[in-house]
Amino acid sequence: TLKEFELLEYLLQNEGLVLSRDQIMDQVWGFDFSGESRTVDMHIKTLRQKLGKSAAIIQTIRGVGYKIGG
């Protein structure tokens, strides 16, 4: 989906940086989005499923958010 692509693109643009769920929400969904941070988690889960073996590049940083690489 477009949001999954935008999410992956944002993570890749910030490779090595830990991004909070709020940062991801602001950048991918925009300030107007009134959803919950679980939205990010659900999209990450779907993205990992679609990436298959490559899903390991997306790391969960417990209590903070997500990062790719580094």
Side-chain angles (χ1 to χ4, degrees):
T1 67
L2 178 59
K3 284 298 173 201
E4 289 165 354
F5 177 80
E6 291 173 344
L7 174 58
L8 182 59
E9 180 181 42
Y10 181 61
L11 290 169
L12 288 169
Q13 288 172 345
N14 293 281
E15 184 176 353
L17 299 176
V18 178
L19 302 169
S20 72
R21 287 171 178 84
D22 288 340
Q23 286 175 296
I24 295 170
M25 289 288 288
D26 287 347
Q27 292 298 313
V28 177
W29 278 266
F31 293 103
D32 297 340
F33 187 78
S34 59
E36 300 176 17
S37 64
R38 299 296 303 166
T39 299
V40 174
D41 299 335
M42 290 170 34
H43 276 77
I44 290 284
K45 180 181 176 184
T46 305
L47 188 55
R48 283 177 171 155
Q49 289 172 344
K50 290 181 179 180
L51 289 173
K53 293 179 183 178
S54 300
I57 65 168
I58 302 175
Q59 300 170 13
T60 301
I61 309 302
R62 190 176 172 123
V64 182
Y66 299 95
K67 80 171 191 171
I68 283 186

